[in-house]
């Protein structure tokens, strides 16, 4: 059985990796007042932050249509028997639900939707693992079983400079955003039950970053093989420095540098930093 692996643009998997592992990608949209762009195809992360900074306009985002999913599944059915589609958390986007609905509309291909319950390169880790297994000829059932196993150890934390982006986009409730802005808090955030909630309220950016690093250190201290990622919203130099320092301390961990692209950047704002990891 030939199995395709499909994800959406918010996994932010570099194009060369997608090509090497034959990963299919369906884009979410970033919508400015007069223009809409397919994320990762028509607008890069760098272009996005430049555009927002240049005109001050905060865009909106939209998920792929069910019709786009149906079209993609029909196309894949020409070469594959099954497709595993791995998407950002269903608690912050309808993308996963769209994949589920479209999967029920197509014939000649078995669709296996998987809710990553997270986003960005943590979602990407699931995708890469699935693609490597598909390349080895593993069945969809074997792959999805491994993804469920991964989910037990996947952890992700992030901090933002301005909570208003999350609140405006409906990804954080108003009371939480208000408390944060009044106290000038830089909360460490994470996903719980598929939605974004504060993990701990911290006063300064420096202390919030250190909190994430400390939590990672606790997990990494057991010396088990891990994959980890540092994710940034137009703060590459700072993220690279964190990665470099952690690589020296934890040689048993495989580190990756990634970014918050246009869609997730719309909701987090420039300056956000995140960390995530899982046990190999």
């Amino acid at each position: 059985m030939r199995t395709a692996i499909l994800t959406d643009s918010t996994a932010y998997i570099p194009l060369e990796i997608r090509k090497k592992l034959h990963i299919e990608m369906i884009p979410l949209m970033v919508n400015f007042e007069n223009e809409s762009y397919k994320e990762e195809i028509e607008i890069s992360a760098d272009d996005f932050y430049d555009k927002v900074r240049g005109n001050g306009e905060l865009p909106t985002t939209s998920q792929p249509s069910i019709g786009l999913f149906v079209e993609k599944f029909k196309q894949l059915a020409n070469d594959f028997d099954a497709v595993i589609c791995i998407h950002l958390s269903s608690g912050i986007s309808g993308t996963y639900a769209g994949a589920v609905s479209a999967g029920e509309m197509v014939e000649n291909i078995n669709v296996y939707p998987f809710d990553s319950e997270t986003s960005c390169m943590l979602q990407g880790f699931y995708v890469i693992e699935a693609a490597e297994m598909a390349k080895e000829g593993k069945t969809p059932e074997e792959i999805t079983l491994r993804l469920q196993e991964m989910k037990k150890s996947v952890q992700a934390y992030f901090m933002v400079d301005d909570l208003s982006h999350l609140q405006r986009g409906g990804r954080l409730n108003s009371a939480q955003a208000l408390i944060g802005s009044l106290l000038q808090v830089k909360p460490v955030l994470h996903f719980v039950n598929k939605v974004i909630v504060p993990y701990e309220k911290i006063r300064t950016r420096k202390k919030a970053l250190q909190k994430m690093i400390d939590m990672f250190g606790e997990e990494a201290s057991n010396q088990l093989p891990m994959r980890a990622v540092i994710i940034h919203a137009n703060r590459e130099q700072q993220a690279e420095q964190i990665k470099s320092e952690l690589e020296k301390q934890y040689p048993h961990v495989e580190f990756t540098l990634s970014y918050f692209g246009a869609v997730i950047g719309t909701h987090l704002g420039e300056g956000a930093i995140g960390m995530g990891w899982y046990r190999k």
Side-chain angles (χ1 to χ4, degrees):
M1 176 179 282
R2 296 201 62 206
T3 302
I5 305 299
L6 172 69
T7 191
D8 59 72
S9 54
T10 67
Y12 303 124
I13 300 170
L15 180 59
E16 61 270 21
I17 295 177
R18 296 206 313 267
K19 283 183 175 179
K20 180 184 174 184
L21 294 175
H22 307 294
I23 295 165
E24 300 283 338
M25 189 268 283
I26 197 163
L28 275 74
M29 301 295 293
V30 184
N31 311 303
F32 290 87
E33 188 175 348
N34 299 314
E35 302 163 302
S36 292
Y37 299 92
K38 296 175 183 175
E39 182 185 42
E40 297 288 282
I41 295 173
E42 297 173 341
I43 189 167
S44 68
D46 288 344
D47 291 342
F48 166 76
Y49 291 113
D50 286 347
K51 190 173 179 65
V52 170
R53 203 182 307 110
N55 60 21
E57 180 195 344
L58 193 67
T60 60
T61 61
S62 54
Q63 68 204 46
S65 67
I66 292 176
L68 197 60
F69 271 113
V70 169
E71 185 182 325
K72 190 69 173 177
F73 292 154
K74 286 181 176 177
Q75 174 198 329
L76 291 173
N78 293 323
D79 299 300
F80 297 93
D81 306 297
V83 54
I84 296 173
C85 41
I86 301 166
H87 297 295
L88 76 164
S89 177
S90 61
I92 62 170
S93 171
T95 304
Y96 169 79
V100 172
S101 296
E104 294 168 353
M105 298 178 186
V106 295
E107 298 176 355
N108 304 323
I109 190 166
N110 295 315
V111 180
Y112 295 79
F114 180 82
D115 185 349
S116 73
E117 300 185 23
T118 184
S119 187
C120 302
M121 189 43 90
L122 274 297
Q123 174 186 340
F125 282 155
Y126 286 115
V127 179
I128 290 167
E129 189 98 9
E132 288 172 342
M133 291 182 72
K135 208 171 179 182
E136 294 168 4
K138 301 294 186 185
T139 66
E141 290 76 18
E142 288 173 316
I143 296 170
T144 51
L145 195 63
R146 168 59 187 149
L147 299 183
Q148 293 294 351
E149 183 64 28
M150 274 180 68
K151 195 174 276 191
K152 295 175 185 176
S153 68
V154 167
Q155 294 187 57
Y157 299 90
F158 55 99
M159 57 151 292
V160 298
D161 271 347
D162 184 355
L163 285 166
S164 67
H165 297 291
L166 275 168
Q167 189 266 328
R168 191 182 296 117
R171 269 67 180 182
L172 190 72
N173 76 44
S174 299
Q176 290 169 337
L178 181 64
I179 290 168
S181 59
L182 283 175
L183 300 178
Q184 293 301 299
V185 164
K186 302 293 183 190
V188 173
L189 305 162
H190 66 151
F191 281 91
V192 174
N193 297 326
K194 306 176 186 178
V195 298
I196 297 169
V197 298
Y199 175 79
E200 187 172 324
K201 292 188 173 73
I202 297 173
R203 290 296 183 121
T204 67
R205 180 181 176 90
K206 185 177 179 181
K207 287 181 179 178
L209 281 171
Q210 191 58 51
K211 178 64 179 178
M212 290 191 291
I213 290 167
D214 290 345
M215 287 190 290
F216 168 75
E218 289 175 20
E219 187 74 22
S221 63
N222 59 24
Q223 300 297 309
L224 293 172
M226 295 171 62
R227 277 187 180 148
V229 61
I230 294 88
I231 312 171
H232 67 93
N234 210 29
R235 294 294 183 272
E236 185 170 3
Q237 190 174 348
Q238 183 181 22
E240 186 62 70
Q241 185 180 349
I242 295 168
K243 176 176 174 282
S244 180
E245 290 171 0
L246 291 175
E247 281 175 329
K248 293 171 190 172
Q249 294 180 58
Y250 305 103
H252 64 287
V253 180
E254 179 187 328
F255 287 95
T256 301
L257 191 69
S258 189
Y259 57 90
F260 294 114
V263 166
I264 301 300
T266 294
H267 300 291
L268 299 189
E270 189 172 353
I273 293 278
M275 284 188 70
W277 57 86
Y278 77 100
R279 290 192 297 273
K280 283 188 181 178

